[in-house]
mmCIF file of all heavy atoms in Angstrom:
data_model
loop_
_atom_site.group_PDB
_atom_site.id
_atom_site.type_symbol
_atom_site.label_atom_id
_atom_site.label_comp_id
_atom_site.label_asym_id
_atom_site.label_seq_id
_atom_site.Cartn_x
_atom_site.Cartn_y
_atom_site.Cartn_z
ATOM 1 N N ALA B 75 -23.620 42.789 -42.521
ATOM 2 C CA ALA B 75 -23.136 43.725 -43.543
ATOM 3 C C ALA B 75 -22.097 42.930 -44.362
ATOM 4 O O ALA B 75 -22.118 43.051 -45.617
ATOM 5 C CB ALA B 75 -22.439 44.873 -42.954
ATOM 6 N N ALA B 76 -21.280 42.164 -43.754
ATOM 7 C CA ALA B 76 -20.252 41.370 -44.430
ATOM 8 C C ALA B 76 -20.901 40.304 -45.410
ATOM 9 O O ALA B 76 -20.462 40.078 -46.509
ATOM 10 C CB ALA B 76 -19.289 40.690 -43.545
ATOM 11 N N LEU B 77 -22.044 39.764 -44.911
ATOM 12 C CA LEU B 77 -22.693 38.637 -45.683
ATOM 13 C C LEU B 77 -23.430 39.172 -46.881
ATOM 14 O O LEU B 77 -23.478 38.552 -47.887
ATOM 15 C CB LEU B 77 -23.543 37.860 -44.768
ATOM 16 C CG LEU B 77 -22.918 37.075 -43.677
ATOM 17 C CD1 LEU B 77 -23.935 36.131 -42.961
ATOM 18 C CD2 LEU B 77 -21.711 36.201 -44.308
ATOM 19 N N THR B 78 -24.083 40.308 -46.696
ATOM 20 C CA THR B 78 -24.850 40.886 -47.857
ATOM 21 C C THR B 78 -23.964 41.689 -48.852
ATOM 22 O O THR B 78 -24.413 42.004 -49.902
ATOM 23 C CB THR B 78 -25.876 41.820 -47.285
ATOM 24 O OG1 THR B 78 -25.333 42.899 -46.600
ATOM 25 C CG2 THR B 78 -26.920 41.054 -46.481
ATOM 26 N N ASP B 79 -22.748 41.835 -48.406
ATOM 27 C CA ASP B 79 -21.776 42.608 -49.325
ATOM 28 C C ASP B 79 -21.678 41.883 -50.604
ATOM 29 O O ASP B 79 -21.678 42.466 -51.642
ATOM 30 C CB ASP B 79 -20.419 42.669 -48.588
ATOM 31 C CG ASP B 79 -19.849 44.114 -48.607
ATOM 32 O OD1 ASP B 79 -20.798 45.015 -48.763
ATOM 33 O OD2 ASP B 79 -18.702 44.297 -48.514
ATOM 34 N N SER B 80 -21.362 40.528 -50.619
ATOM 35 C CA SER B 80 -21.276 39.848 -51.808
ATOM 36 C C SER B 80 -21.912 38.424 -51.622
ATOM 37 O O SER B 80 -22.318 38.091 -50.546
ATOM 38 C CB SER B 80 -19.807 39.770 -52.160
ATOM 39 O OG SER B 80 -19.109 38.957 -51.119
ATOM 40 N N ASP B 81 -21.980 37.630 -52.646
ATOM 41 C CA ASP B 81 -22.503 36.361 -52.582
ATOM 42 C C ASP B 81 -21.666 35.365 -51.738
ATOM 43 O O ASP B 81 -22.140 34.735 -50.781
ATOM 44 C CB ASP B 81 -22.795 35.762 -54.010
ATOM 45 C CG ASP B 81 -23.773 36.567 -54.768
ATOM 46 O OD1 ASP B 81 -24.562 37.269 -54.064
ATOM 47 O OD2 ASP B 81 -23.798 36.458 -55.978
ATOM 48 N N ARG B 82 -20.396 35.418 -52.168
ATOM 49 C CA ARG B 82 -19.516 34.429 -51.445
ATOM 50 C C ARG B 82 -18.794 35.215 -50.352
ATOM 51 O O ARG B 82 -17.892 36.075 -50.618
ATOM 52 C CB ARG B 82 -18.436 33.886 -52.418
ATOM 53 C CG ARG B 82 -17.392 33.010 -51.735
ATOM 54 C CD ARG B 82 -18.045 31.819 -50.928
ATOM 55 N NE ARG B 82 -17.092 30.636 -50.973
ATOM 56 C CZ ARG B 82 -17.221 29.727 -51.865
ATOM 57 N NH1 ARG B 82 -18.165 29.705 -52.801
ATOM 58 N NH2 ARG B 82 -16.383 28.667 -51.774
ATOM 59 N N PRO B 83 -19.150 35.052 -49.043
ATOM 60 C CA PRO B 83 -18.632 35.860 -47.938
ATOM 61 C C PRO B 83 -17.088 35.682 -47.817
ATOM 62 O O PRO B 83 -16.564 34.592 -48.007
ATOM 63 C CB PRO B 83 -19.217 35.382 -46.714
ATOM 64 C CG PRO B 83 -19.736 33.996 -47.071
ATOM 65 C CD PRO B 83 -19.990 34.031 -48.535
ATOM 66 N N ASP B 84 -16.441 36.753 -47.459
ATOM 67 C CA ASP B 84 -14.946 36.715 -47.253
ATOM 68 C C ASP B 84 -14.617 36.335 -45.876
ATOM 69 O O ASP B 84 -15.182 36.896 -44.947
ATOM 70 C CB ASP B 84 -14.424 38.055 -47.636
ATOM 71 C CG ASP B 84 -12.862 38.089 -47.485
ATOM 72 O OD1 ASP B 84 -12.265 37.044 -47.828
ATOM 73 O OD2 ASP B 84 -12.239 39.095 -47.023
ATOM 74 N N LEU B 85 -13.767 35.291 -45.729
ATOM 75 C CA LEU B 85 -13.441 34.889 -44.361
ATOM 76 C C LEU B 85 -12.896 36.024 -43.463
ATOM 77 O O LEU B 85 -13.320 36.094 -42.341
ATOM 78 C CB LEU B 85 -12.380 33.733 -44.438
ATOM 79 C CG LEU B 85 -11.866 33.155 -43.079
ATOM 80 C CD1 LEU B 85 -13.115 32.572 -42.357
ATOM 81 C CD2 LEU B 85 -10.824 32.096 -43.317
ATOM 82 N N GLU B 86 -11.987 36.740 -44.071
ATOM 83 C CA GLU B 86 -11.436 37.836 -43.193
ATOM 84 C C GLU B 86 -12.491 38.808 -42.727
ATOM 85 O O GLU B 86 -12.436 39.292 -41.632
ATOM 86 C CB GLU B 86 -10.321 38.664 -44.103
ATOM 87 C CG GLU B 86 -8.920 38.081 -43.834
ATOM 88 C CD GLU B 86 -8.635 36.851 -44.691
ATOM 89 O OE1 GLU B 86 -9.614 36.481 -45.453
ATOM 90 O OE2 GLU B 86 -7.641 36.271 -44.628
ATOM 91 N N GLU B 87 -13.408 39.088 -43.588
ATOM 92 C CA GLU B 87 -14.527 40.023 -43.127
ATOM 93 C C GLU B 87 -15.312 39.438 -42.052
ATOM 94 O O GLU B 87 -15.754 40.180 -41.183
ATOM 95 C CB GLU B 87 -15.461 40.398 -44.412
ATOM 96 C CG GLU B 87 -14.889 41.394 -45.352
ATOM 97 C CD GLU B 87 -15.830 41.776 -46.390
ATOM 98 O OE1 GLU B 87 -17.056 41.829 -46.108
ATOM 99 O OE2 GLU B 87 -15.413 41.780 -47.636
ATOM 100 N N ILE B 88 -15.582 38.151 -42.127
ATOM 101 C CA ILE B 88 -16.317 37.479 -40.959
ATOM 102 C C ILE B 88 -15.583 37.646 -39.676
ATOM 103 O O ILE B 88 -16.136 38.029 -38.620
ATOM 104 C CB ILE B 88 -16.587 36.017 -41.357
ATOM 105 C CG1 ILE B 88 -17.525 35.969 -42.633
ATOM 106 C CG2 ILE B 88 -17.301 35.287 -40.191
ATOM 107 C CD1 ILE B 88 -17.735 34.563 -43.109
ATOM 108 N N LEU B 89 -14.297 37.411 -39.779
ATOM 109 C CA LEU B 89 -13.457 37.366 -38.589
ATOM 110 C C LEU B 89 -13.398 38.863 -38.001
ATOM 111 O O LEU B 89 -13.432 38.999 -36.774
ATOM 112 C CB LEU B 89 -12.109 36.867 -38.833
ATOM 113 C CG LEU B 89 -12.029 35.255 -39.039
ATOM 114 C CD1 LEU B 89 -10.636 34.916 -39.569
ATOM 115 C CD2 LEU B 89 -12.451 34.614 -37.883
ATOM 116 N N GLU B 90 -13.318 39.821 -38.949
ATOM 117 C CA GLU B 90 -13.251 41.157 -38.498
ATOM 118 C C GLU B 90 -14.572 41.477 -37.695
ATOM 119 O O GLU B 90 -14.551 42.220 -36.797
ATOM 120 C CB GLU B 90 -13.074 42.086 -39.671
ATOM 121 C CG GLU B 90 -11.613 42.116 -40.229
ATOM 122 C CD GLU B 90 -11.500 42.737 -41.558
ATOM 123 O OE1 GLU B 90 -12.490 43.558 -41.883
ATOM 124 O OE2 GLU B 90 -10.512 42.570 -42.285
ATOM 125 N N ALA B 91 -15.686 40.959 -38.305
ATOM 126 C CA ALA B 91 -16.960 41.233 -37.662
ATOM 127 C C ALA B 91 -16.992 40.736 -36.180
ATOM 128 O O ALA B 91 -17.620 41.249 -35.307
ATOM 129 C CB ALA B 91 -18.053 40.701 -38.421
ATOM 130 N N PHE B 92 -16.199 39.705 -35.880
ATOM 131 C CA PHE B 92 -16.184 39.157 -34.538
ATOM 132 C C PHE B 92 -15.239 39.919 -33.745
ATOM 133 O O PHE B 92 -15.415 40.098 -32.500
ATOM 134 C CB PHE B 92 -15.918 37.645 -34.605
ATOM 135 C CG PHE B 92 -15.963 36.986 -33.329
ATOM 136 C CD1 PHE B 92 -17.270 36.592 -32.806
ATOM 137 C CD2 PHE B 92 -14.917 36.664 -32.599
ATOM 138 C CE1 PHE B 92 -17.324 35.977 -31.630
ATOM 139 C CE2 PHE B 92 -14.968 36.070 -31.388
ATOM 140 C CZ PHE B 92 -16.151 35.719 -30.872
ATOM 141 N N ILE B 93 -14.028 40.229 -34.205
ATOM 142 C CA ILE B 93 -12.858 40.720 -33.516
ATOM 143 C C ILE B 93 -12.953 42.164 -33.328
ATOM 144 O O ILE B 93 -12.692 42.703 -32.229
ATOM 145 C CB ILE B 93 -11.675 40.221 -34.111
ATOM 146 C CG1 ILE B 93 -11.439 38.711 -33.990
ATOM 147 C CG2 ILE B 93 -10.419 40.898 -33.429
ATOM 148 C CD1 ILE B 93 -10.396 38.081 -34.777
ATOM 149 N N VAL B 94 -13.138 42.988 -34.433
ATOM 150 C CA VAL B 94 -12.993 44.445 -34.307
ATOM 151 C C VAL B 94 -13.944 45.101 -33.382
ATOM 152 O O VAL B 94 -13.473 45.968 -32.584
ATOM 153 C CB VAL B 94 -13.077 45.074 -35.762
ATOM 154 C CG1 VAL B 94 -13.112 46.507 -35.639
ATOM 155 C CG2 VAL B 94 -11.958 44.510 -36.616
ATOM 156 N N PRO B 95 -15.157 44.663 -33.327
ATOM 157 C CA PRO B 95 -16.060 45.356 -32.315
ATOM 158 C C PRO B 95 -15.556 45.193 -30.892
ATOM 159 O O PRO B 95 -15.783 46.152 -30.053
ATOM 160 C CB PRO B 95 -17.330 44.613 -32.463
ATOM 161 C CG PRO B 95 -17.389 44.178 -33.921
ATOM 162 C CD PRO B 95 -15.996 43.792 -34.172
#
Side-chain angles (χ1 to χ4, degrees):
Chain B
L77 292 186
T78 57
D79 230 23
S80 62
D81 294 340
R82 176 57 148 267
D84 182 36
L85 178 60
E86 267 81 2
E87 280 184 43
I88 296 173
L89 291 174
E90 286 169 18
F92 187 78
I93 292 168
V94 173

